[in-house]
């Protein structure tokens, strides 16, 4: 047999692959509504709304009770722990409202950063302890996918080999544990746009990071057909003076992906990482028109913007 | 980016010179002059197994009483014991006069350590292999333990020999977790004891254990290097190289010693101040005889070669105690005797008396041992 100690049975693989495909079918993408309490507080503060549980609940209720036709565009919603257990004003659980619309429910699983000593202020992500038990409970409570965001940055001697390896490894452990519990892991290795580096340098770094991530997933026996990738688009740093077109962003992005992401991955749902809503959409469109081999769905995993003046969003 | 000439070894040092000095001094103090470590960090469940064998109930008070007897032994214990590893509960327990155990030990000049790992988690896709949990919030826990009197930590990773074990994944994952733990310890002033145990379950021979132990240790030291761990401020707690428990071939202490020191001198950098072997189910006497032979082995041995024994220091003491306060003196004598014997062995000066009690020659093997 292929491997004497398979991580998953055929049935479990089938279930995971179906969930993943359902999320990205027909151009659908993901609503990332998993802002932690603190991050949601920042958002609310900008529109001068108090950060209470009720206000957070109200905002999510408005999003989730939108017309059913939303399910043509949104295949999955990522929730924060608190939101998974909240209800609308009639007492109906949000997760059931979403499921009835045919939308897959996901849950944020990482638990914040920890410093990597000996580096230029780089970090790894916590959350592996007791993760299997948490995943099992979330699966019972209606979640079918998980999300874990690793953060890498471009700076003097960053990302270091250690930061890349450590974050890739933590992502792979998380992904393995998710799959053991029937959750499709969204793998998010974000190279953040802070800095003045150009497009080419971001592409180089993104390729290194993705190569490490897929090597780690392979080492940890993760079933790629039952995962989704949530990467950054390849862009110049925010402080870079040179400007690039959506076509340039698209070419750099798809080049990096088709060199590193196996075709078995059903979908790639980009994060927006501080781009304006309009740029994110223009870039995604250009990516889907890019004339390179693109064996995966290329979609989105974005937040819902609170109505405000046009300003670049800080990454969550 | 500033691209001037590089003037320092590493631009983002993990530790200042002062912190390195503190860690190195703690490590050296633990293993100075043949001293070794008492591993008294059995979890509640594991202590329960020990107590059950001497028909004592597993209550917090009984656990406290036994540890009190050990820790209040004559001060001369500090000639043999340089450090004691405690379980969380024990770090905060007191003797019958209300004095904290950790202060009793410190006043004897013994360094106090704390178990930091939090149990195993399965590695999917392997033949039932595991990694170790405990990294989440570890920095905060270390900082608190340092405040509460601990100066070293301990984390036990477990690898086993079996069909396709240990796998590359198990070796990498456990080495990586050990390295993260070690890095976090050092950031908080604790010397990390690094324990990558290849357990003795199985019927493999001595040579196979040596091969596997070398692979594991090479991975551990590569990971420690990747994570910028300061080796002079660490200690290693490995298995001795032995055949599996179910192996029919028997080996002498000299053979065990040669295989062990060969594996170590191929993989463990000389910067590591001390190697304190675990006893892994060996009888008290074998653990001492093997340690002695290791110290007499004619290969380069730049590190102190000592002990970090749990069962092999406490078996006779437990049997002597039997849960009765009246046996305190006999318990302390049994413990002191093993401590002294192992201290001599750590200097290659142990002379086998030939009149050990039944408990000291009894195998202490438990299959698939977890603390």
């Amino acid at each position: 047999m292929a491997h004497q100690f398979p991580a998953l049975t055929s049935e479990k693989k089938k279930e995971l692959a179906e969930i993943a495909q359902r999320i990205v079918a027909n151009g659908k993408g993901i609503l990332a509504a998993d802002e932690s309490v603190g991050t949601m507080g920042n958002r609310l503060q900008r529109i001068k709304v108090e950060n209470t549980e009720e206000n957070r609940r109200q905002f999510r209720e408005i999003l989730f009770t939108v017309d059913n036709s939303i399910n043509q565009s949104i295949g999955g919603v990522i929730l924060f722990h608190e939101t998974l257990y909240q209800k609308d004003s009639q007492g109906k659980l949000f997760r059931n409202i979403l499921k009835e619309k045919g939308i897959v429910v996901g849950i944020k699983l990482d638990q914040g950063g920890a410093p990597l000593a000996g580096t230029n202020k780089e970090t790894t992500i916590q959350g592996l302890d007791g993760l299997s038990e948490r995943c099992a409970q979330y699966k019972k409570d209606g979640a079918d996918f998980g999300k874990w965001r690793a953060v890498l940055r471009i700076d003097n001697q960053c990302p270091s080999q250690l930061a890349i390896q450590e974050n890739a490894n933590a992502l792979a452990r998380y992904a393995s544990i998710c799959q053991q519990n029937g959750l499709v892991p969204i793998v998010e290795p974000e190279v953040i746009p802070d800095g003045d580096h150009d497009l080419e340098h971001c592409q180089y770094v993104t390729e290194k990071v993705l190569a490490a991530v897929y090597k780690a997933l392979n080492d940890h026996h993760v079933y790629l057909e039952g995962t989704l990738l949530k990467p950054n688009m390849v862009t110049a740093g925010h402080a870079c003076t040179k400007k690039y077109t959506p076509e340039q962003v698209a070419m750099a992005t798809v080049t990096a992906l088709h060199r590193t992401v196996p075709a078995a991955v059903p979908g790639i749902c980009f994060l927006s990482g501080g781009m304006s809503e309009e740029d994110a959409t223009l870039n995604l469109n250009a990516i889907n028109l890019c004339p390179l081999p693109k064996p995966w769905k290329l979609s989105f995993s974005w937040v819902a913007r609170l109505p405000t003046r046009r300003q670049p969003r800080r990454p969550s």
Side-chain angles (χ1 to χ4, degrees), chain A:
Chain A
M1 65 178 82
H3 177 51
Q4 201 176 343
F5 306 105
L8 298 162
T9 61
S10 313
E11 291 76 24
K12 290 193 161 162
K13 286 179 173 177
K14 189 157 173 284
E15 186 199 354
L16 291 166
E18 279 172 359
I19 293 168
Q21 284 156 24
R22 213 181 331 138
I23 294 171
V24 293
N26 303 318
K28 287 190 273 194
I30 297 172
L31 169 64
D34 63 323
E35 298 90 345
S36 63
V37 172
T39 302
M40 205 57 204
N42 296 339
R43 304 272 167 83
L44 295 174
Q45 192 199 26
R46 276 200 213 123
I47 56 164
K48 306 209 186 330
V49 171
E50 198 189 344
N51 186 19
T52 62
E53 193 190 335
E54 177 55 19
N55 282 341
R56 295 192 295 273
R57 194 202 64 74
Q58 280 188 22
F59 179 63
R60 269 79 181 250
E61 174 168 350
I62 292 172
L63 290 181
F64 301 159
T65 56
V66 74
D67 183 71
N68 279 2
S69 60
I70 192 68
N71 61 15
Q72 307 291 307
S73 325
I74 300 294
V77 177
I78 317 174
L79 301 179
F80 182 63
H81 175 87
E82 166 190 85
T83 322
L84 185 66
Y85 300 100
Q86 282 178 330
K87 303 169 181 165
D88 73 0
S89 352
Q90 277 86 57
K92 186 164 186 176
L93 283 163
F94 284 159
R95 65 197 197 224
N96 292 338
I97 294 172
L98 292 168
K99 285 188 158 215
E100 281 168 24
K101 287 178 169 27
I103 295 175
V104 187
V105 172
I107 181 75
K108 182 217 281 287
L109 288 170
D110 60 81
Q111 295 190 316
L116 287 171
T119 66
N120 181 6
K121 301 198 195 67
E122 293 176 294
T123 55
T124 182
I125 303 292
Q126 300 188 106
L128 292 177
D129 294 351
L131 181 58
S132 191
E133 291 73 17
R134 295 175 61 219
C135 285
Q137 188 62 49
Y138 285 136
K139 178 78 177 179
K140 277 202 195 122
D141 294 341
D144 283 310
F145 71 93
K147 172 230 157 166
W148 174 291
R149 176 175 176 258
V151 179
L152 293 131
R153 67 195 190 85
I154 295 176
D155 198 346
N156 178 18
Q157 297 196 34
C158 300
S160 63
Q161 198 54 37
L162 175 61
I164 294 174
Q165 271 170 213
E166 186 59 31
N167 279 281
N169 192 64
L171 272 167
R173 275 297 290 145
Y174 139 82
S176 166
I177 292 170
C178 269
Q179 294 194 328
Q180 290 302 298
N181 291 285
L183 298 178
V184 165
I186 295 192
V187 172
E188 183 177 352
E190 180 178 0
V191 178
I192 58 177
D194 303 44
D196 60 3
H197 50 275
D198 61 18
L199 185 75
E200 288 75 15
H201 190 65
C202 179
Q203 180 184 328
Y204 175 79
V205 170
T206 300
E207 286 179 23
K208 289 290 172 211
V209 168
L210 289 173
V213 167
Y214 282 94
K215 179 60 166 72
L217 292 175
N218 183 281
D219 287 342
H220 285 258
H221 310 293
V222 175
Y223 177 60
L224 294 185
E225 293 91 317
T227 66
L228 293 169
L229 178 67
K230 178 167 170 171
N232 51 287
M233 293 181 187
V234 173
T235 64
H238 273 141
C240 181
T241 47
K242 189 170 173 192
K243 296 302 163 201
Y244 298 87
T245 64
E247 288 67 35
Q248 286 172 311
V249 166
M251 180 58 72
T253 301
V254 181
T255 302
L257 295 170
H258 91 323
R259 288 174 178 174
T260 55
V261 183
V265 176
I268 299 179
C269 302
F270 295 97
L271 57 92
S272 47
M275 274 177 258
S276 69
E277 287 176 330
E278 191 60 15
D279 283 345
T281 303
L282 288 172
N283 288 340
L284 181 60
N285 192 57
I287 280 168
N288 275 281
L289 295 174
C290 178
L292 288 177
K294 304 188 297 293
W296 348 259
K297 295 282 203 305
L298 289 157
S299 186
F300 59 93
S301 175
W302 293 341
V303 298
R305 288 299 165 76
L306 289 161
T308 178
R309 282 199 303 263
R310 262 181 188 279
Q311 2 178 293
R313 180 182 68 83
R314 294 172 69 87
S316 60

